[in-house]
Amino acid sequence: MRRTRTLSIIALVVIAFLAGVFFTTAGANLLGLSNQATTPTLAREENGGTRIEGAAVNSLEEAFVAVAERVNPTVVQIRSERVIRRQPFRWNPFEGTPFEKFFNFRIPDMPEEFRSQGLGSGVIIRADGYIVTNNHVVEGADELQVVLHDGTTYDAEVVGTDPQSDLAVLKIDAENLPYISMGDASSLRVGQWVLAFGSPLSPQLSNTVTAGIISALNRYYSEGPAVQNFIQTDAAINPGNSGGPLVNLRGELIGINTAIYSRTGGYQGIGFAIPVDIVQYVVPQLIETGHVERARLGVQYTAAAPSVIKALNLPRGAAQVVTVEEGSAAEKAGIKPGDLIVAINGQQLTNHLELSKIISTHRPGDEVRLTINRDGETHTVTVKLGAAPSEGATASRRRTQSGRAAESDLMEELGFSIADITPELARRFNLEDTDVAGVLITDVDPNSAAYREANLRRGLIITEVDRKPVRSVEKFEEVYNAIKPGATFLLRLYDPQSGGTLITALQKPGS
C-alpha cells in the first residue's frame, strides 16, 4: 500500500512538472516569444532577495519600454483657455422710478471676466504638425497651446472638429516632427495588450504611460441619430488623458482615449477609446475640408424583438425599421416600415446600432446592399445613400456665418446659445413629436446667471422674449436688441420633457 502511494506521488510530481513546461512554452508562443522561451526561474541575489528571471519576462518588459520610447515623442499636451464673461450683478430697488439712475448697487470685487483653464492630450499624425485630439478638449476654447514631449510650446490652430465622433484636428507651425503609425482596427482582439498615453489630472503629469488590455470591442453608445462605437480598456484613463493615443505593442495607434465610466469621477478600470478606423475616416476629411460628410439611409429603427429573432431565425443584431423618411434613400430603394434589416454588404448585424455606425462611414452617393426580411422572406436591395445634414462642424477659427457670430455673442452676453429647430436638431433633441414653435437652447454656460439663477438648460424651447412671441433666431435677436441695456426681461419656455411651460427672467448686460 505504501509503495503504491509513493509511486502515485511520484507520478503526480512528474505530470505537474511536464504541465508547467507545456504551459510556459504555450504562453511564450502566445506572446510571440517561442524562439527564445525559457522557463522563468527564481534567482537569489547576494543580499538574500529574489527576482524572477526568464526570456519571456524580459521580452514583455522590453516591449513595453520600446513602445513607450517610440510613442512618447509623438504625444502632446493640450492646454486650452476660455474667457468667461459674467454680467455684473446689480440690484436697484428703485428700478422703474425717477430715482433709478441715482441708485444702482453693484457687488464690489466680483470679477466680470475670468479665464477658465482646460487640459487634454493629443497625438501627432503628420510630420508637418497635424495633431489629433478629442473635440471636447478644444470645444469653446479661445486659446490653445500644444506642449511637445521635449517641452517646446506652440500656439495651435483648430483645423476642423467633428462633434459626432468627438474628434478634432489641430495644426502647429512645425516641421520634421515624430508622428505615430496607424494600426489595423480589424485585427484588434479582446485580451490584447495596450498602452494609453496622456496627461492625466495635471500638466505636471505629462506623458504618463499606463498598461492594460482590450476589455471589449464594439461598445455602442447612441445619442439621437448619432451612434458611436468604442474600444473598452482597463488601461488607466483619467481626466486629462482625453485625446491621447491608445496603442498596441507595435506602437501603432489603435484608438483615441475619450471617456471613462466611473462612479467617483476617477479611474475605475473602465475606459473607452475611439477606434482607429473612425479616426482614419474622419481626420482626412477634417484636414481637407474642415468638416465630415456622412451618408444617410433615412430610416428610424429599433432592435428587433427577441421573439421575432427566434421565430424567424434572424441574426441577433437585426434592426426593425419603424419609419421611412419621405424622399429618402431608403424610400427610393423600396424599404418599408416593419422590414427587418439583417445584414449590410453581406455582413450580418451583431448589434442593431451597427446599422448607423456602418452607414455613417460611407459617403453620400455610395451604394450598399441591405439584406432584409419582410413577412418571413429574405431578399437583398441596393441603396444609393443620401447625405446627412451638415452640423456645420467646421473649424472654429474658420466660422464666418452670421448665425454663428450671433450665437457666439449671445453666449458671451447671456451665457447660452440658441438655434432654429431644424430636422437634424429635432432628431438630436427628441423633438420630432413637438409642434411648439420657438428657438431651441443648444448650450448653457454652467457658470452663468442663465444657468444658476434663471435655470436655463439645453433642450428647452424659448417661445416668448419680453412678452413677445419668437419663432426664429432672427426674431429673437430683433426682440432682444430692442431691450434696454440693464433691464430685466421675461422668457417663456416650453419643456419638451414634461410638456409644461416655464417663465424665468434675465437681465440684459449694460447700464
mmCIF file of all heavy atoms in Angstrom, residues 354-373:
data_model
loop_
_atom_site.group_PDB
_atom_site.id
_atom_site.type_symbol
_atom_site.label_atom_id
_atom_site.label_comp_id
_atom_site.label_asym_id
_atom_site.label_seq_id
_atom_site.Cartn_x
_atom_site.Cartn_y
_atom_site.Cartn_z
ATOM 1 N N GLU A 354 -25.171 48.818 -35.125
ATOM 2 C CA GLU A 354 -24.183 48.730 -36.191
ATOM 3 C C GLU A 354 -24.711 49.349 -37.487
ATOM 4 O O GLU A 354 -23.928 49.811 -38.325
ATOM 5 C CB GLU A 354 -23.803 47.271 -36.457
ATOM 6 C CG GLU A 354 -22.724 46.725 -35.547
ATOM 7 C CD GLU A 354 -22.293 45.340 -35.976
ATOM 8 O OE1 GLU A 354 -23.159 44.461 -36.136
ATOM 9 O OE2 GLU A 354 -21.087 45.139 -36.152
ATOM 10 N N LEU A 355 -26.004 49.333 -37.658
ATOM 11 C CA LEU A 355 -26.595 49.890 -38.876
ATOM 12 C C LEU A 355 -26.178 51.340 -39.058
ATOM 13 O O LEU A 355 -25.676 51.739 -40.119
ATOM 14 C CB LEU A 355 -28.120 49.762 -38.823
ATOM 15 C CG LEU A 355 -28.898 50.330 -40.019
ATOM 16 C CD1 LEU A 355 -28.502 49.616 -41.302
ATOM 17 C CD2 LEU A 355 -30.402 50.219 -39.786
ATOM 18 N N SER A 356 -26.360 52.160 -38.027
ATOM 19 C CA SER A 356 -25.979 53.571 -38.110
ATOM 20 C C SER A 356 -24.476 53.732 -38.232
ATOM 21 O O SER A 356 -23.978 54.580 -38.983
ATOM 22 C CB SER A 356 -26.475 54.332 -36.874
ATOM 23 O OG SER A 356 -27.870 54.470 -36.893
ATOM 24 N N LYS A 357 -23.734 52.909 -37.488
ATOM 25 C CA LYS A 357 -22.282 53.020 -37.498
ATOM 26 C C LYS A 357 -21.725 52.760 -38.887
ATOM 27 O O LYS A 357 -20.886 53.504 -39.396
ATOM 28 C CB LYS A 357 -21.690 52.058 -36.472
ATOM 29 C CG LYS A 357 -20.166 52.147 -36.352
ATOM 30 C CD LYS A 357 -19.495 50.974 -37.012
ATOM 31 C CE LYS A 357 -17.982 51.030 -36.836
ATOM 32 N NZ LYS A 357 -17.285 49.896 -37.464
ATOM 33 N N ILE A 358 -22.207 51.708 -39.539
ATOM 34 C CA ILE A 358 -21.692 51.352 -40.862
ATOM 35 C C ILE A 358 -22.119 52.386 -41.902
ATOM 36 O O ILE A 358 -21.327 52.815 -42.741
ATOM 37 C CB ILE A 358 -22.150 49.942 -41.260
ATOM 38 C CG1 ILE A 358 -21.538 48.908 -40.308
ATOM 39 C CG2 ILE A 358 -21.762 49.634 -42.699
ATOM 40 C CD1 ILE A 358 -22.059 47.504 -40.509
ATOM 41 N N ILE A 359 -23.377 52.812 -41.847
ATOM 42 C CA ILE A 359 -23.857 53.808 -42.812
ATOM 43 C C ILE A 359 -23.066 55.105 -42.678
ATOM 44 O O ILE A 359 -22.708 55.744 -43.672
ATOM 45 C CB ILE A 359 -25.364 54.078 -42.616
ATOM 46 C CG1 ILE A 359 -26.189 52.834 -42.951
ATOM 47 C CG2 ILE A 359 -25.820 55.264 -43.467
ATOM 48 C CD1 ILE A 359 -26.107 52.395 -44.393
ATOM 49 N N SER A 360 -22.739 55.506 -41.436
ATOM 50 C CA SER A 360 -22.052 56.787 -41.216
ATOM 51 C C SER A 360 -20.622 56.784 -41.728
ATOM 52 O O SER A 360 -20.006 57.843 -41.851
ATOM 53 C CB SER A 360 -22.065 57.141 -39.727
ATOM 54 O OG SER A 360 -21.234 56.275 -38.984
ATOM 55 N N THR A 361 -20.060 55.609 -42.003
ATOM 56 C CA THR A 361 -18.701 55.555 -42.533
ATOM 57 C C THR A 361 -18.690 55.499 -44.059
ATOM 58 O O THR A 361 -17.645 55.244 -44.662
ATOM 59 C CB THR A 361 -17.941 54.341 -41.973
ATOM 60 O OG1 THR A 361 -18.673 53.142 -42.247
ATOM 61 C CG2 THR A 361 -17.763 54.462 -40.468
ATOM 62 N N HIS A 362 -19.838 55.731 -44.676
ATOM 63 C CA HIS A 362 -19.927 55.831 -46.134
ATOM 64 C C HIS A 362 -20.141 57.284 -46.528
ATOM 65 O O HIS A 362 -20.591 58.116 -45.725
ATOM 66 C CB HIS A 362 -21.077 54.977 -46.677
ATOM 67 C CG HIS A 362 -20.758 53.516 -46.751
ATOM 68 N ND1 HIS A 362 -20.798 52.703 -45.641
ATOM 69 C CD2 HIS A 362 -20.387 52.717 -47.779
ATOM 70 C CE1 HIS A 362 -20.473 51.463 -46.001
ATOM 71 N NE2 HIS A 362 -20.218 51.457 -47.282
ATOM 72 N N ARG A 363 -19.827 57.580 -47.769
ATOM 73 C CA ARG A 363 -20.044 58.918 -48.314
ATOM 74 C C ARG A 363 -21.382 58.974 -49.046
ATOM 75 O O ARG A 363 -21.857 57.951 -49.544
ATOM 76 C CB ARG A 363 -18.925 59.270 -49.296
ATOM 77 C CG ARG A 363 -17.524 59.345 -48.685
ATOM 78 C CD ARG A 363 -17.342 60.579 -47.835
ATOM 79 N NE ARG A 363 -15.978 60.731 -47.389
ATOM 80 C CZ ARG A 363 -15.057 61.499 -47.988
ATOM 81 N NH1 ARG A 363 -15.380 62.157 -49.085
ATOM 82 N NH2 ARG A 363 -13.839 61.604 -47.504
ATOM 83 N N PRO A 364 -21.990 60.153 -49.111
ATOM 84 C CA PRO A 364 -23.207 60.293 -49.919
ATOM 85 C C PRO A 364 -22.953 59.836 -51.354
ATOM 86 O O PRO A 364 -21.916 60.154 -51.945
ATOM 87 C CB PRO A 364 -23.485 61.804 -49.851
ATOM 88 C CG PRO A 364 -22.849 62.243 -48.579
ATOM 89 C CD PRO A 364 -21.628 61.400 -48.410
ATOM 90 N N GLY A 365 -23.895 59.071 -51.901
ATOM 91 C CA GLY A 365 -23.748 58.545 -53.246
ATOM 92 C C GLY A 365 -23.217 57.127 -53.284
ATOM 93 O O GLY A 365 -23.337 56.451 -54.320
ATOM 94 N N ASP A 366 -22.634 56.657 -52.179
ATOM 95 C CA ASP A 366 -22.179 55.267 -52.125
ATOM 96 C C ASP A 366 -23.379 54.327 -52.202
ATOM 97 O O ASP A 366 -24.488 54.665 -51.740
ATOM 98 C CB ASP A 366 -21.415 54.984 -50.828
ATOM 99 C CG ASP A 366 -20.039 55.619 -50.806
ATOM 100 O OD1 ASP A 366 -19.623 56.156 -51.851
ATOM 101 O OD2 ASP A 366 -19.380 55.570 -49.749
ATOM 102 N N GLU A 367 -23.164 53.150 -52.748
ATOM 103 C CA GLU A 367 -24.211 52.132 -52.797
ATOM 104 C C GLU A 367 -23.893 51.016 -51.803
ATOM 105 O O GLU A 367 -22.743 50.587 -51.689
ATOM 106 C CB GLU A 367 -24.348 51.556 -54.204
ATOM 107 C CG GLU A 367 -24.937 52.526 -55.207
ATOM 108 C CD GLU A 367 -25.248 51.870 -56.537
ATOM 109 O OE1 GLU A 367 -24.798 50.714 -56.752
ATOM 110 O OE2 GLU A 367 -25.952 52.483 -57.364
ATOM 111 N N VAL A 368 -24.917 50.577 -51.069
ATOM 112 C CA VAL A 368 -24.770 49.458 -50.140
ATOM 113 C C VAL A 368 -25.883 48.450 -50.412
ATOM 114 O O VAL A 368 -26.959 48.802 -50.907
ATOM 115 C CB VAL A 368 -24.838 49.913 -48.670
ATOM 116 C CG1 VAL A 368 -23.678 50.823 -48.324
ATOM 117 C CG2 VAL A 368 -26.166 50.604 -48.362
ATOM 118 N N ARG A 369 -25.587 47.195 -50.108
ATOM 119 C CA ARG A 369 -26.583 46.131 -50.261
ATOM 120 C C ARG A 369 -27.143 45.785 -48.880
ATOM 121 O O ARG A 369 -26.393 45.394 -47.983
ATOM 122 C CB ARG A 369 -25.952 44.896 -50.894
ATOM 123 C CG ARG A 369 -25.575 45.077 -52.357
ATOM 124 C CD ARG A 369 -24.888 43.843 -52.926
ATOM 125 N NE ARG A 369 -23.572 43.648 -52.334
ATOM 126 C CZ ARG A 369 -23.267 42.716 -51.450
ATOM 127 N NH1 ARG A 369 -24.195 41.873 -51.021
ATOM 128 N NH2 ARG A 369 -22.035 42.601 -50.976
ATOM 129 N N LEU A 370 -28.433 45.956 -48.716
ATOM 130 C CA LEU A 370 -29.101 45.623 -47.464
ATOM 131 C C LEU A 370 -29.860 44.315 -47.619
ATOM 132 O O LEU A 370 -30.650 44.159 -48.560
ATOM 133 C CB LEU A 370 -30.074 46.722 -47.052
ATOM 134 C CG LEU A 370 -29.503 48.116 -46.763
ATOM 135 C CD1 LEU A 370 -30.618 49.049 -46.296
ATOM 136 C CD2 LEU A 370 -28.398 48.055 -45.729
ATOM 137 N N THR A 371 -29.608 43.398 -46.708
ATOM 138 C CA THR A 371 -30.376 42.157 -46.670
ATOM 139 C C THR A 371 -31.526 42.359 -45.693
ATOM 140 O O THR A 371 -31.293 42.673 -44.517
ATOM 141 C CB THR A 371 -29.507 40.977 -46.212
ATOM 142 O OG1 THR A 371 -28.366 40.882 -47.080
ATOM 143 C CG2 THR A 371 -30.284 39.671 -46.259
ATOM 144 N N ILE A 372 -32.760 42.232 -46.184
ATOM 145 C CA ILE A 372 -33.914 42.483 -45.325
ATOM 146 C C ILE A 372 -34.830 41.263 -45.310
ATOM 147 O O ILE A 372 -34.865 40.473 -46.259
ATOM 148 C CB ILE A 372 -34.696 43.731 -45.783
ATOM 149 C CG1 ILE A 372 -35.297 43.510 -47.174
ATOM 150 C CG2 ILE A 372 -33.812 44.970 -45.758
ATOM 151 C CD1 ILE A 372 -36.211 44.641 -47.611
ATOM 152 N N ASN A 373 -35.530 41.141 -44.205
ATOM 153 C CA ASN A 373 -36.542 40.101 -44.073
ATOM 154 C C ASN A 373 -37.898 40.794 -44.001
ATOM 155 O O ASN A 373 -38.132 41.622 -43.113
ATOM 156 C CB ASN A 373 -36.300 39.264 -42.812
ATOM 157 C CG ASN A 373 -37.248 38.095 -42.701
ATOM 158 O OD1 ASN A 373 -38.449 38.263 -42.508
ATOM 159 N ND2 ASN A 373 -36.703 36.883 -42.799
#
